[in-house]
């Protein structure tokens, strides 16, 4: 065979390959850590305003789930140990974000807002945020970053399966609950692939068994996943396990043990679900593109045979697991069990003192026995202006928008498994699209969930939440009776 020895004949291809590789290599995002502590700055990974009303700490992880700087976790723990009344928010970001992206700014604004409300300042609450960071984007060249969806999804799944992320979350939550603190709440938040990490990580702690035939209690109090970009296979498994352990008692408005109906310590009040999935109705990323991508992966992997698995809450009904593989939890018709429904326009309740996101204050000030709540703004993205070039200024004045529109909504059970795990469809007026979790209306809705989880007692005092302990496994006879009753 005759070969072409003229290098000029291969030059265009070589130039193209070299150029393409150069773009890819030059567009790789840094592995970090971005907030490494040093001998000169031992607490560089912690920041906040000079008056100390909130603190925000970073804990960064690599692609294999290993912490990039263990001193970051130690610094975050020190902040929690020093707080007498900690309100801890642990947030895991999603796709296209990292430890320096705009999501950092939006989370910090959330902490700033919460710490500024009279309901928290009056009780001398120590607002603490921990930003769990990973490489949610690994290419920075415009356009190419869209090609990283599946690689970043795989990385998120790997981090969730590794040990360090769960260990960090558990240690932070335990520190917030240590003896001597007269107020302590730990709230876990996750978005997109961060919700994937959150859901998969804490599912293990929800269902972990102890040595006494029961289940271990979780150190954290509340977990909310926004627009989860995970397949619903693991969520279906979690919901099936909870359906196996609990039944809903309408008289008590609580989830009670199937194994021992007198097991009071494991009864879960209806307003305290272990995990809440919030899904925007107009999220095209998880609602449209995710199923297409999953179908492509199924075809390329030649995965055509699927096991049929039980549908939670539908005793006897089985569906191909492919159905759950191609849909996220909030887009699965077999898992969604709550909707946010409109109750109409209304006026602002009296006695509000806030100027920014007044519906958040309205929802925090009162209990919600009927699961209704307020929003007060047009969902037009105005909150994005709070961040300038990715930087946030604590204490900056954010005047009223002048475009308030007060509305009431309600979390309403709409079918499927009635268990302490809510999968909720949310109108676009509250969460717009995939990245709208930090909008004023979304934060206001979260305020209502927070107050439902931690209701006000006599005199407006919030008692420390009781540990959430899952019940023992049901006996066979009781389980059979429950199934026949449901059918």
């Amino acid at each position: 065979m005759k070969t072409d020895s003229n290098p000029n004949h291969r030059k265009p291809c070589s130039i193209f390959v070299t150029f393409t590789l150069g773009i890819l290599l030059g567009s790789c995002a840094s592995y970090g850590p971005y907030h490494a502590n040093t001998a000169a700055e031992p607490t560089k990974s912690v920041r906040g305003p000079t008056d100390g009303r909130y603190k925000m700490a970073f804990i960064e992880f690599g692609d294999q789930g290993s912490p990039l700087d263990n001193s970051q976790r130690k610094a975050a723990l020190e902040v929690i140990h020093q707080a007498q009344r900690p309100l801890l928010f642990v947030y895991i970001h999603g796709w296209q974000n990292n430890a320096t992206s705009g999501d950092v700014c939006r989370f910090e604004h959330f902490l700033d807002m919460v710490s500024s409300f009279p309901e928290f300042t009056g009780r001398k609450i120590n607002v603490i945020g921990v930003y769990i960071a990973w490489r949610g984007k690994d290419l920075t060249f415009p356009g190419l970053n869209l090609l990283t969806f599946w690689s970043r999804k795989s990385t998120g799944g790997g981090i969730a399966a590794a040990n360090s992320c769960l260990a960090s979350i558990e240690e932070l939550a335990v520190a917030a609950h240590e003896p001597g603190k007269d107020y302590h709440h730990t709230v876990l938040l996750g978005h997109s692939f961060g919700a994937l990490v959150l859901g998969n990580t804490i599912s293990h702690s929800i269902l972990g068994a102890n040595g006494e035939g029961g289940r271990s209690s979780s150190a954290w109090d509340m977990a909310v996943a926004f627009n989860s970009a995970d397949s619903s296979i693991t969520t279906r498994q979690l919901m099936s396990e909870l359906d196996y352990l609990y039944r809903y008692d309408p008289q008590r408005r609580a989830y009670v043990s199937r194994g021992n109906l007198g097991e009071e310590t494991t009864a879960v009040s209806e307003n305290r679900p272990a995990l809440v999935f919030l899904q925007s109705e107009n999220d095209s990323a998880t609602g449209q593109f995710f199923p297409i991508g999953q179908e492509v992966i199924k075809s390329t992997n030649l995965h055509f045979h699927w096991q049929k698995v039980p549908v939670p809450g539908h005793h006897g009904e089985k569906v191909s697991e492919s159905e759950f593989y191609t849909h996220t939890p909030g887009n699965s018709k077999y898992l969604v069990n709550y909707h946010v429904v409109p109750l109409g326009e209304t006026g602002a309740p009296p006695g509000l003192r806030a100027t920014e996101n007044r519906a958040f204050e309205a929802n925090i000030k009162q209990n919600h026995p009927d699961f209704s709540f307020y929003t007060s703004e047009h969902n037009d993205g105005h909150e994005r202006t709070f961040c300038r070039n990715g930087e946030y200024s604590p204490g900056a004045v954010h005047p009223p928008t002048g475009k308030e529109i007060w509305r009431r909504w309600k979390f309403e059970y709409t079918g499927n498994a009635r268990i302490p795990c809510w999968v909720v469809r949310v109108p676009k007026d509250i969460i717009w699209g995939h990245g709208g979790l930090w909008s004023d209306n979304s934060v206001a809705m979260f305020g209502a969930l927070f107050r439902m989880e931690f209701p006000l007692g006599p005199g407006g005092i919030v008692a420390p939440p009781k540990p959430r302990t899952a019940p023992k496994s049901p006996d066979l006879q009781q389980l059979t009776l429950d199934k026949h009753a449901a059918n």
Side-chain angles (χ1 to χ4, degrees):
M1 179 184 294
K2 183 178 180 181
T3 58
D4 188 345
S5 60
N6 187 344
N8 292 328
H9 291 175
R10 299 192 300 273
K11 192 172 183 180
C13 181
S14 300
I15 292 174
F16 174 76
V17 171
T18 302
F19 178 71
T20 303
L21 288 174
I23 289 177
L24 290 174
L25 292 174
S27 302
C28 289
S30 170
Y31 279 88
Y34 293 97
H35 304 277
N37 295 315
T38 64
E41 295 180 276
T43 58
K44 186 179 179 182
S45 61
V46 178
R47 70 191 195 197
T50 55
D51 62 8
R53 68 179 178 277
Y54 73 83
K55 296 286 187 182
M56 184 173 76
F58 294 88
I59 301 179
E60 302 179 60
F61 291 89
D63 283 5
Q64 307 306 317
S66 299
L68 297 180
D69 180 358
N70 265 325
S71 71
Q72 292 180 330
R73 177 162 53 165
K74 180 63 175 176
L77 286 168
E78 283 302 311
V79 171
I80 299 169
H81 289 319
Q82 293 169 12
Q84 184 61 35
R85 299 169 63 78
L87 170 54
L88 173 63
F89 296 99
V90 181
Y91 171 64
I92 310 173
H93 68 75
W95 186 40
Q96 297 300 319
N97 287 295
N98 57 24
T100 61
S101 62
D103 217 37
V104 174
C105 175
R106 289 183 281 272
F107 179 55
E108 186 169 2
H109 171 248
F110 167 76
L111 298 174
D112 188 7
M113 184 199 70
V114 170
S115 68
S116 300
F117 273 97
E119 281 67 30
F120 297 103
T121 57
R123 296 188 174 95
K124 298 181 179 180
I125 304 301
N126 307 118
V127 176
I128 303 168
V130 177
Y131 189 92
I132 301 290
W134 56 290
R135 260 194 346 151
K137 62 177 178 181
D138 54 359
L139 290 178
T140 58
F141 191 82
L144 291 180
N145 54 354
L146 299 178
L147 303 176
T148 67
F149 185 87
W150 300 112
S151 71
R152 294 302 89 198
K153 178 178 181 294
S154 176
T155 298
I159 293 172
N163 295 316
S164 292
C165 188
L166 175 59
S168 297
I169 291 173
E170 291 280 358
E171 190 172 7
L172 294 169
V174 168
H177 288 230
E178 64 190 2
K181 298 186 186 300
D182 54 0
Y183 176 103
H184 53 77
H185 294 322
T186 298
V187 181
L188 310 183
L189 305 170
H191 171 236
S192 184
F193 290 154
L196 177 159
V197 176
L198 176 65
N200 290 347
T201 297
I202 68 174
S203 292
H204 303 297
S205 60
I206 291 174
L207 299 172
N210 62 31
E212 301 174 354
R215 307 278 170 158
S216 302
S217 60
S218 300
W220 45 269
D221 304 302
M222 180 181 183
V224 181
F226 294 85
N227 289 336
S228 174
D230 189 16
S231 78
S232 54
I233 285 180
T234 54
T235 304
R236 185 210 67 83
Q237 293 173 1
L238 171 63
M239 295 179 75
S240 290
E241 289 293 325
L242 293 173
D243 191 41
Y244 167 71
L245 295 171
Y246 292 99
R247 70 175 181 86
Y248 179 72
D249 185 339
Q251 279 70 45
R252 296 174 61 182
R253 294 190 66 179
Y255 312 103
V256 299
S257 169
R258 291 188 189 274
N260 181 358
L261 300 185
E263 207 175 344
E264 295 294 328
T265 58
T266 59
V268 177
S269 176
E270 183 181 26
N271 60 297
R272 291 197 67 199
L275 176 59
V276 179
F277 291 90
L278 299 174
Q279 176 64 55
S280 172
E281 292 179 340
N282 72 332
D283 176 9
S284 59
T286 62
Q288 299 172 23
F289 299 125
F290 185 92
I292 294 173
Q294 293 291 81
E295 289 287 355
V296 171
I297 289 181
K298 278 201 310 180
S299 300
T300 55
N301 290 343
L302 302 179
H303 196 160
F304 302 117
H305 176 74
W306 294 85
Q307 179 183 355
K308 283 195 171 184
V309 292
V311 176
H314 293 248
H315 299 295
E317 182 179 358
K318 292 188 175 182
V319 175
S320 169
E321 208 160 14
S322 173
E323 173 69 26
F324 300 102
Y325 179 79
T326 54
H327 292 83
T328 64
N331 290 292
S332 170
K333 64 182 178 180
Y334 298 103
L335 300 183
V336 172
N337 53 8
Y338 277 82
H339 281 73
V340 172
V341 297
L343 299 180
E345 294 190 15
T346 185
L352 300 181
R353 291 176 285 177
T355 58
E356 177 189 349
N357 197 357
R358 298 202 296 157
F360 179 84
E361 181 186 7
N363 293 333
I364 287 292
K365 283 172 64 72
Q366 60 183 332
N367 291 330
H368 305 271
D370 62 349
F371 294 172
S372 68
F373 64 94
Y374 293 99
T375 61
S376 60
E377 297 291 340
H378 288 275
N379 200 356
D380 56 7
H382 62 268
E383 68 280 348
R384 298 191 190 104
T385 61
F386 300 161
C387 301
R388 304 285 183 179
N389 300 318
E391 297 295 327
Y392 182 72
S393 299
V397 177
H398 305 299
T401 62
K403 297 186 295 182
E404 281 190 346
I405 174 171
W406 281 86
R407 287 175 284 193
R408 290 182 68 242
W409 310 81
K410 182 179 181 179
F411 293 100
E412 186 173 276
Y413 172 71
T414 53
N416 291 327
R418 196 158 194 182
I419 54 176
C421 177
W422 291 9
V423 184
V424 188
R425 298 280 290 180
V426 181
K428 61 185 179 182
D429 305 271
I430 299 177
I431 302 178
W432 180 273
H434 188 62
L437 74 156
W438 297 122
S439 72
D440 280 351
N441 289 345
S442 177
V443 171
M445 176 181 64
F446 169 77
L449 283 170
F450 180 91
R451 184 52 69 220
M452 286 162 52
E453 182 77 25
F454 311 115
L456 298 169
I461 303 300
V462 181
K466 296 179 180 179
R468 184 190 289 104
T469 305
K472 299 176 182 179
S473 300
D475 62 79
L476 182 59
Q477 183 178 8
Q478 183 62 51
L479 192 63
T480 303
L481 290 172
D482 288 345
K483 284 185 176 181
H484 285 304
N487 291 332

